[in-house]
PDB file of all heavy atoms in Angstrom:
ATOM      1  N   ILE A 228      99.706 109.923  93.089  1.00  0.00           N
ATOM      2  CA  ILE A 228      99.071 110.928  92.257  1.00  0.00           C
ATOM      3  C   ILE A 228     100.177 111.726  91.545  1.00  0.00           C
ATOM      4  O   ILE A 228     101.204 112.303  92.188  1.00  0.00           O
ATOM      5  CB  ILE A 228      98.375 111.965  93.173  1.00  0.00           C
ATOM      6  CG1 ILE A 228      97.228 111.264  94.088  1.00  0.00           C
ATOM      7  CG2 ILE A 228      97.726 113.034  92.337  1.00  0.00           C
ATOM      8  CD1 ILE A 228      96.195 110.501  93.168  1.00  0.00           C
ATOM      9  N   GLY A 229     100.050 111.880  90.168  1.00  0.00           N
ATOM     10  CA  GLY A 229     101.024 112.526  89.295  1.00  0.00           C
ATOM     11  C   GLY A 229     102.082 111.720  88.915  1.00  0.00           C
ATOM     12  O   GLY A 229     102.937 112.133  88.077  1.00  0.00           O
ATOM     13  N   GLN A 230     102.173 110.464  89.297  1.00  0.00           N
ATOM     14  CA  GLN A 230     103.301 109.513  88.903  1.00  0.00           C
ATOM     15  C   GLN A 230     102.818 108.424  88.006  1.00  0.00           C
ATOM     16  O   GLN A 230     103.530 107.448  87.872  1.00  0.00           O
ATOM     17  CB  GLN A 230     103.954 108.966  90.264  1.00  0.00           C
ATOM     18  CG  GLN A 230     104.664 110.038  91.093  1.00  0.00           C
ATOM     19  CD  GLN A 230     105.282 109.511  92.282  1.00  0.00           C
ATOM     20  OE1 GLN A 230     105.614 108.387  92.382  1.00  0.00           O
ATOM     21  NE2 GLN A 230     105.365 110.316  93.386  1.00  0.00           N
ATOM     22  N   GLY A 231     101.583 108.602  87.571  1.00  0.00           N
ATOM     23  CA  GLY A 231     101.032 107.525  86.591  1.00  0.00           C
ATOM     24  C   GLY A 231     100.524 108.046  85.376  1.00  0.00           C
ATOM     25  O   GLY A 231     100.942 109.308  85.025  1.00  0.00           O
ATOM     26  N   HIS A 232      99.773 107.303  84.607  1.00  0.00           N
ATOM     27  CA  HIS A 232      99.321 107.888  83.342  1.00  0.00           C
ATOM     28  C   HIS A 232      98.121 108.857  83.317  1.00  0.00           C
ATOM     29  O   HIS A 232      97.803 109.489  82.340  1.00  0.00           O
ATOM     30  CB  HIS A 232      98.854 106.616  82.503  1.00  0.00           C
ATOM     31  CG  HIS A 232     100.075 105.886  81.971  1.00  0.00           C
ATOM     32  ND1 HIS A 232     100.631 105.983  80.710  1.00  0.00           N
ATOM     33  CD2 HIS A 232     100.722 104.752  82.626  1.00  0.00           C
ATOM     34  CE1 HIS A 232     101.631 105.187  80.633  1.00  0.00           C
ATOM     35  NE2 HIS A 232     101.797 104.422  81.705  1.00  0.00           N
ATOM     36  N   ILE A 233      97.401 109.006  84.450  1.00  0.00           N
ATOM     37  CA  ILE A 233      96.420 110.046  84.640  1.00  0.00           C
ATOM     38  C   ILE A 233      97.216 111.382  84.693  1.00  0.00           C
ATOM     39  O   ILE A 233      96.878 112.395  84.004  1.00  0.00           O
ATOM     40  CB  ILE A 233      95.597 109.856  85.836  1.00  0.00           C
ATOM     41  CG1 ILE A 233      94.821 108.455  85.746  1.00  0.00           C
ATOM     42  CG2 ILE A 233      94.665 111.045  85.963  1.00  0.00           C
ATOM     43  CD1 ILE A 233      93.925 108.090  86.945  1.00  0.00           C
ATOM     44  N   GLY A 234      98.081 111.496  85.619  1.00  0.00           N
ATOM     45  CA  GLY A 234      99.009 112.682  85.736  1.00  0.00           C
ATOM     46  C   GLY A 234      98.343 113.824  86.415  1.00  0.00           C
ATOM     47  O   GLY A 234      97.087 113.738  86.697  1.00  0.00           O
ATOM     48  N   LEU A 235      99.041 114.829  86.836  1.00  0.00           N
ATOM     49  CA  LEU A 235      98.570 115.976  87.528  1.00  0.00           C
ATOM     50  C   LEU A 235      97.531 116.738  86.853  1.00  0.00           C
ATOM     51  O   LEU A 235      96.483 117.057  87.356  1.00  0.00           O
ATOM     52  CB  LEU A 235      99.691 116.911  87.907  1.00  0.00           C
ATOM     53  CG  LEU A 235     100.746 116.359  88.998  1.00  0.00           C
ATOM     54  CD1 LEU A 235     101.792 117.445  89.190  1.00  0.00           C
ATOM     55  CD2 LEU A 235     100.188 115.812  90.158  1.00  0.00           C
ATOM     56  N   GLU A 236      97.756 116.805  85.530  1.00  0.00           N
ATOM     57  CA  GLU A 236      96.701 117.627  84.773  1.00  0.00           C
ATOM     58  C   GLU A 236      95.437 116.829  84.613  1.00  0.00           C
ATOM     59  O   GLU A 236      94.318 117.410  84.619  1.00  0.00           O
ATOM     60  CB  GLU A 236      97.222 117.976  83.398  1.00  0.00           C
ATOM     61  CG  GLU A 236      98.332 119.138  83.487  1.00  0.00           C
ATOM     62  CD  GLU A 236      97.813 120.356  84.154  1.00  0.00           C
ATOM     63  OE1 GLU A 236      96.740 120.825  83.948  1.00  0.00           O
ATOM     64  OE2 GLU A 236      98.634 120.764  85.132  1.00  0.00           O
ATOM     65  N   GLY A 237      95.462 115.448  84.537  1.00  0.00           N
ATOM     66  CA  GLY A 237      94.310 114.695  84.483  1.00  0.00           C
ATOM     67  C   GLY A 237      93.475 114.888  85.787  1.00  0.00           C
ATOM     68  O   GLY A 237      92.184 114.963  85.709  1.00  0.00           O
ATOM     69  N   PHE A 238      94.082 114.854  86.898  1.00  0.00           N
ATOM     70  CA  PHE A 238      93.367 115.071  88.185  1.00  0.00           C
ATOM     71  C   PHE A 238      92.918 116.397  88.350  1.00  0.00           C
ATOM     72  O   PHE A 238      91.713 116.648  88.764  1.00  0.00           O
ATOM     73  CB  PHE A 238      94.257 114.644  89.300  1.00  0.00           C
ATOM     74  CG  PHE A 238      94.321 113.172  89.585  1.00  0.00           C
ATOM     75  CD1 PHE A 238      95.446 112.402  89.228  1.00  0.00           C
ATOM     76  CD2 PHE A 238      93.355 112.475  90.205  1.00  0.00           C
ATOM     77  CE1 PHE A 238      95.523 111.028  89.410  1.00  0.00           C
ATOM     78  CE2 PHE A 238      93.301 111.117  90.476  1.00  0.00           C
ATOM     79  CZ  PHE A 238      94.436 110.464  90.046  1.00  0.00           C
ATOM     80  N   ARG A 239      93.667 117.434  87.928  1.00  0.00           N
ATOM     81  CA  ARG A 239      93.238 118.838  87.962  1.00  0.00           C
ATOM     82  C   ARG A 239      91.964 118.891  87.202  1.00  0.00           C
ATOM     83  O   ARG A 239      90.999 119.711  87.613  1.00  0.00           O
ATOM     84  CB  ARG A 239      94.325 119.697  87.457  1.00  0.00           C
ATOM     85  CG  ARG A 239      94.155 121.243  87.911  1.00  0.00           C
ATOM     86  CD  ARG A 239      95.054 122.159  87.193  1.00  0.00           C
ATOM     87  NE  ARG A 239      96.499 121.624  87.291  1.00  0.00           N
ATOM     88  CZ  ARG A 239      97.236 121.976  88.252  1.00  0.00           C
ATOM     89  NH1 ARG A 239      96.868 122.664  89.323  1.00  0.00           N
ATOM     90  NH2 ARG A 239      98.617 121.503  88.206  1.00  0.00           N
ATOM     91  N   GLU A 240      91.875 118.364  86.036  1.00  0.00           N
ATOM     92  CA  GLU A 240      90.699 118.507  85.176  1.00  0.00           C
ATOM     93  C   GLU A 240      89.519 117.864  85.803  1.00  0.00           C
ATOM     94  O   GLU A 240      88.434 118.369  85.830  1.00  0.00           O
ATOM     95  CB  GLU A 240      91.057 117.990  83.759  1.00  0.00           C
ATOM     96  CG  GLU A 240      89.786 118.095  82.794  1.00  0.00           C
ATOM     97  CD  GLU A 240      90.110 117.547  81.421  1.00  0.00           C
ATOM     98  OE1 GLU A 240      91.046 116.676  81.302  1.00  0.00           O
ATOM     99  OE2 GLU A 240      89.272 117.889  80.410  1.00  0.00           O
ATOM    100  N   LEU A 241      89.779 116.626  86.391  1.00  0.00           N
ATOM    101  CA  LEU A 241      88.696 115.835  86.936  1.00  0.00           C
ATOM    102  C   LEU A 241      88.071 116.697  88.048  1.00  0.00           C
ATOM    103  O   LEU A 241      86.947 116.774  88.248  1.00  0.00           O
ATOM    104  CB  LEU A 241      89.271 114.498  87.499  1.00  0.00           C
ATOM    105  CG  LEU A 241      88.320 113.738  88.355  1.00  0.00           C
ATOM    106  CD1 LEU A 241      87.185 113.099  87.496  1.00  0.00           C
ATOM    107  CD2 LEU A 241      89.078 112.514  88.994  1.00  0.00           C
ATOM    108  N   PHE A 242      88.960 117.212  88.911  1.00  0.00           N
ATOM    109  CA  PHE A 242      88.530 117.960  90.124  1.00  0.00           C
ATOM    110  C   PHE A 242      87.686 119.160  89.745  1.00  0.00           C
ATOM    111  O   PHE A 242      86.715 119.539  90.413  1.00  0.00           O
ATOM    112  CB  PHE A 242      89.593 118.334  91.075  1.00  0.00           C
ATOM    113  CG  PHE A 242      90.350 117.171  91.724  1.00  0.00           C
ATOM    114  CD1 PHE A 242      91.735 117.281  91.921  1.00  0.00           C
ATOM    115  CD2 PHE A 242      89.674 115.970  91.851  1.00  0.00           C
ATOM    116  CE1 PHE A 242      92.373 116.175  92.502  1.00  0.00           C
ATOM    117  CE2 PHE A 242      90.401 114.917  92.483  1.00  0.00           C
ATOM    118  CZ  PHE A 242      91.663 114.975  92.806  1.00  0.00           C
TER     119      PHE A 242
END
Side-chain angles (χ1 to χ4, degrees):
I228 303 300
Q230 297 179 25
H232 286 265
I233 298 174
L235 296 180
E236 287 308 311
F238 280 101
R239 197 189 309 275
E240 185 181 16
L241 174 69
F242 296 151

